[in-house]
Amino acid sequence: MKGYLQSLPGVGGLFQRDIQPAEVWAFWKYMQERFRTKTANKADSLEMQLAAEALQRMGILDRQRFLERYATTVGRTLYLPFEVGVPKGGWDLWAQVVVCVHEHQHVVQHDEEGPSYELAYLTSPAARAKYEAEAYTCNLELHYWRYGTLPAVRPMAEGLKHYGCRPEDVEVAAHTLALTSVSVRHGAVVSEATHVALEWLNSHVPHLRAKKG
């Protein structure tokens, strides 16, 4: 998610400031406390280096793309290609908020299914597409909360090709996200991680919320 404007004139000539680095850091701290997670630098992790090699050999994901463009959650550890609260290419501050919620939804999936979640994610393209579609629901919910609109779901689903998902898996994900969009547009929040996130966002950065209706 790129290209968010830093300050826009609002109603009555007021200016709406963007989320700040300290707020992003505080948000991550809150989510980690609620879900009992920790973070690690992805580039410095031997486990992630080995995973990158394995994913490339399996034809699922390019090694460098995996290390630089994706956050990865294993159990209760979130491996990040950025420092929380420090914007960098491809990871602006709001994108860091969104990926925090997305990855914590994977923690929810892990809690619901146990070790079989990781096994299914790695070995089944269909399961991987299903899990990612569920986590991308968080992206839709947060986008609607902030902007009052919904992004196109097809590009999200098409992005699953980089996860080694088959065309039929992408189609199922696109259909799932399209149905979810209808609910989100009517104000529904279906993801547990988003529910938790909105408690903090509504309390600490309510100025970011879109004025609807």
Side-chain angles (χ1 to χ4, degrees):
M1 296 203 171
K2 303 177 182 178
Y4 297 107
L5 299 179
Q6 292 295 318
S7 57
L8 292 170
V11 177
L14 298 177
F15 281 81
Q16 177 182 342
R17 65 176 178 81
D18 202 352
I19 195 164
Q20 300 299 299
E23 293 168 337
V24 174
W25 186 88
F27 175 74
W28 271 84
K29 183 174 183 291
Y30 161 80
M31 292 292 285
Q32 288 179 249
E33 289 175 349
R34 288 290 298 268
F35 288 96
R36 307 185 316 281
T37 59
K38 62 181 180 179
T39 62
N41 185 297
K42 194 171 188 180
D44 294 340
S45 167
L46 177 59
E47 180 182 14
M48 288 295 102
Q49 294 285 344
L50 294 173
E53 291 290 344
L55 289 171
Q56 181 161 290
R57 289 176 183 272
M58 294 166 67
I60 294 176
L61 194 60
D62 174 76
R63 181 181 186 281
Q64 282 306 116
R65 188 181 185 92
F66 171 74
L67 290 173
E68 296 175 2
R69 301 179 67 174
Y70 294 90
T72 302
T73 297
V74 179
R76 312 198 88 78
T77 301
L78 282 62
Y79 295 91
L80 308 178
F82 58 85
E83 181 181 347
V84 173
V86 180
K88 61 179 289 188
W91 295 103
D92 63 29
L93 293 175
W94 181 247
Q96 292 183 19
V97 169
V98 174
V99 78
C100 178
V101 184
H102 179 110
E103 294 303 316
H104 278 92
Q105 188 62 29
H106 286 314
V107 174
V108 172
Q109 293 166 342
H110 168 83
D111 288 349
E112 291 175 344
E113 301 188 20
S116 63
Y117 159 71
E118 276 86 4
L119 179 62
Y121 190 100
L122 286 173
T123 60
S124 170
R128 193 155 55 246
K130 172 181 175 291
Y131 291 135
E132 287 299 334
E134 289 177 358
Y136 274 122
T137 297
C138 298
N139 299 53
L140 295 176
E141 292 163 339
L142 289 171
H143 195 279
Y144 189 73
W145 177 85
R146 184 167 187 190
Y147 300 106
T149 62
L150 287 170
V153 299
R154 172 56 65 170
M156 287 186 178
E158 290 291 332
L160 296 178
K161 293 177 180 178
H162 297 297
Y163 289 71
C165 293
R166 302 163 301 184
E168 57 265 37
D169 303 321
V170 171
E171 288 305 315
V172 170
H175 182 67
T176 299
L177 289 168
L179 291 176
T180 301
S181 292
V182 175
S183 298
V184 173
R185 190 177 290 111
H186 285 85
V189 177
V190 300
S191 305
E192 181 178 338
T194 304
H195 271 290
V196 174
L198 291 182
E199 291 178 15
W200 191 95
L201 294 171
N202 283 319
S203 176
H204 292 83
V205 287
H207 57 279
L208 294 181
R209 183 175 187 174
K211 303 298 186 289
K212 305 181 183 76

